[in-house]
Amino acid sequence: MAPPWIRARDAIVALLVGSALIQPFSAAAASHSKSTSAVTVTVFAAASLTEAFDELARDFETAHPGTTVRCSYAGSQQLAAQLAAGARADVFASADTRWMSDAVSQGRIDGEPRVFARNVLAVIVPAANPARIDRFQQLARPGVKLVICAASVPAGRYARELLSRLEAVPGAGPGWSAKVLANVVSEEDNVRGVVGKVALDEADAGIVYRSDLLASLRRAVRMVPVPDSLNVVAEYPLAVVKDAPTGALARAFADFVCSAEGQRVLAAHGFRAALATP
Amino acid sequence: MSPDAVPGGAPTVAGPPALTPPPGAVRATPLAVLGGAWFALAPILLAGLVGLPVVGLLTRVPPAALLARLGDGAVRDALALSLVTGLAATALVVALGLPVAWLLARGRMPGGRGVEALVLLPMVMPPTVAGFALLMAFGRAGLAGRALAVAGLSLPFTTAATVLAQAFMSAPFFILAARAGFAAVDPRLLDAAASLGAGELGLFARVALPLSHRALLAGAAMCAARALGEFGATITFAGNLRGVTQTMPLAVYVAMQSDLDTAALLSVLLLVMALLLLLGLGAAARSGVFGGLDADGRRR
């Protein structure tokens, strides 16, 4: 039998180890009970909605004390894939109807999606304009380093659509968009990745949303104009996710985004109004 | 163990109480029970943590569907690119790493500890941070980027950038293993060779290199595995374009968002390549390179 001081040491160590093992479980239990008294609304939103939804989240939290709104921003295709894999969320805001329809066909959406905002595209170059691009037609010039989103990303699909529409403009012509696409050096998985590459002066040009031209980027990027009549109009649908953990609060957030106040915030961040009123 | 100890009983020599149990005795102290539980549970939990994802990957898509995807251009481009860049990155790391590992092992590196820390830094750096740092250095507006631009060279968005990103992240693995291999060479052999007239280069090339070849192979295998799996630094610094910079990990990431079957195939291929490298490592380990055997294969 071990001497008393050895037994005491063993007992103390066993106690410490035992309590250390229990810690994670008690912490989890505590946070679980915390989450039912302070509710968290989880929003999956397209990357281009970052600043707008941050402000909408703060406004909603102010109007509903005790609520936290947590937004997860990524390419809409990635969010739809996460929802399809069973991710828990309350609201899904996509940058195009294609990925919202995908979520609907996966059975992850409750009710009818509503278009809550629209957007148009912008061609941007770094402020220093290393490739000297003043007119969009010059995007087809060999050697220009163009960065756009991958085809599965809404911004990537819209960009390719825009390029084929711009062929109608003098100076472009048939085959122009193929030449521009041959200049693509990287396909990003969300539109803010494109913004980043241009702002860092690594790309000669990028195609992003008009709303991505944030005030903070004014010194880093410049816009190359494209004819308004040919620009692509992106439609952003929003819907409540099926079996949303916060139930009525999820619907309340969705309604808030579509309300006059929500629309005002979106407009202030460079988005265009949704066509029909909710 | 004292030669006076009676087997199965307490030692006959008076002294402090035994801290280790006599052979055969079972001590049921709380610590022992907890320790036993920990040792029993840990392998099961770890095997589950690592094994379940692998099993899930292999059983998700039927083999026929996987093979059908092999003909896909994007898959073949990613596979070819991964093999070429992985090989090039490993070759680059070995070429640059051998002298560095030798100098570190011999204690002859000017700046010693500082250089050692610098060389091992990428191992603990988050890959996207590494990619961003590479941009700051070799990007168009970067420290060295401007000089490269004068020479007409631009690194970002090129296959060379992919190789550079992979080499950056996998170098520490080779250098650590190579240094350990060189340090394990019997110094008496080096002294003997030196006394016979071998210079530093001769010691390296004709004594240390042959004796530590298993450690070097193991290090190269680890480096290659890390280079094959490199994602964060590649996508940030080199970009993502099929056939140019879209290696297999990037292709998996992109495919996961729209075509799960392709993602599964690429993942299985990467898994197979990793397993092959691991088998090579296993053979090297059994040869004793990770300790236990000296250069002649004898137990220390």
Side-chain angles (χ1 to χ4, degrees), chain B residues 6-61:
Chain B
V6 176
T12 53
V13 179
L19 293 179
T20 52
V26 174
R27 292 163 65 86
T29 59
L31 184 66
V33 170
L34 254 154
W38 178 29
F39 269 73
L41 267 180
I44 300 172
L45 289 176
L46 202 60
L49 179 66
V50 179
L52 278 174
V54 172
V55 171
L57 189 62
L58 293 171
T59 54
R60 195 217 172 266
V61 186

Side-chain angles (χ1 to χ4, degrees), chain A residues 1 7 20 24 47 71 81 107 129-130 139-140 142 144 148 169 177 189 193 204 206 220 242 264:
Chain A
M1 197 45 163
R7 281 187 285 145
C71 296
N129 202 356
L139 288 174
V144 166
I148 57 176
V169 181
S177 79
D189 70 316
D204 291 330
K242 187 164 278 194
R264 193 194 59 76

Side-chain angles (χ1 to χ4, degrees), chain A residues 183-247:
Chain A
N183 279 338
V184 170
V185 290
S186 184
E187 297 184 341
E188 302 298 310
D189 70 316
N190 75 69
V191 75
R192 291 303 171 86
V194 178
V195 176
K197 292 256 165 31
V198 175
L200 275 174
D201 208 13
E202 290 309 326
D204 291 330
I207 304 181
V208 300
Y209 293 111
R210 189 72 181 73
S211 60
D212 289 325
L213 286 156
L214 308 168
S216 57
L217 290 169
R218 207 176 298 128
R219 280 198 202 89
V221 303
R222 285 203 282 138
M223 194 173 72
V224 174
V226 294
D228 259 345
S229 54
L230 292 170
N231 207 333
V232 173
V233 176
E235 289 197 331
Y236 285 59
L238 166 133
V240 173
V241 176
K242 187 164 278 194
D243 301 326
T246 60

Side-chain angles (χ1 to χ4, degrees), chain A residues 150-189:
Chain A
S152 59
V153 188
R157 198 167 57 85
Y158 294 141
R160 287 164 173 81
E161 169 73 27
L162 175 68
L163 288 174
S164 70
R165 286 191 193 181
L166 288 174
E167 283 188 348
V169 181
W176 175 84
S177 79
K179 283 197 222 135
V180 175
L181 286 171
N183 279 338
V184 170
V185 290
S186 184
E187 297 184 341
E188 302 298 310
D189 70 316

Side-chain angles (χ1 to χ4, degrees), chain A residues 2-3 5-6 10 13-14 17-18 21 77-78 81 99 130 145 147 152 184-187 189 197 200-204, chain B residues 17 19 27 29-31 34 132 135-136 139-142 154 156-157 235-236 238-241 245-246 253-254 256-258:
Chain A
W5 55 90
I6 301 299
D10 280 1
V13 173
V17 171
L21 286 173
Q77 82 289 355
Q78 193 164 46
W99 289 111
K145 292 191 220 177
V147 175
S152 59
V184 170
V185 290
S186 184
E187 297 184 341
D189 70 316
K197 292 256 165 31
L200 275 174
D201 208 13
E202 290 309 326
D204 291 330
Chain B
L19 293 179
R27 292 163 65 86
T29 59
L31 184 66
L34 254 154
F132 189 65
L135 263 182
M136 294 296 102
R140 185 152 57 178
S154 176
F157 310 128
I235 202 170
T236 310
N240 175 33
L241 193 66
T245 50
Q246 192 176 81
Y253 180 65
V254 169
M256 226 165 44
Q257 295 166 10
S258 50

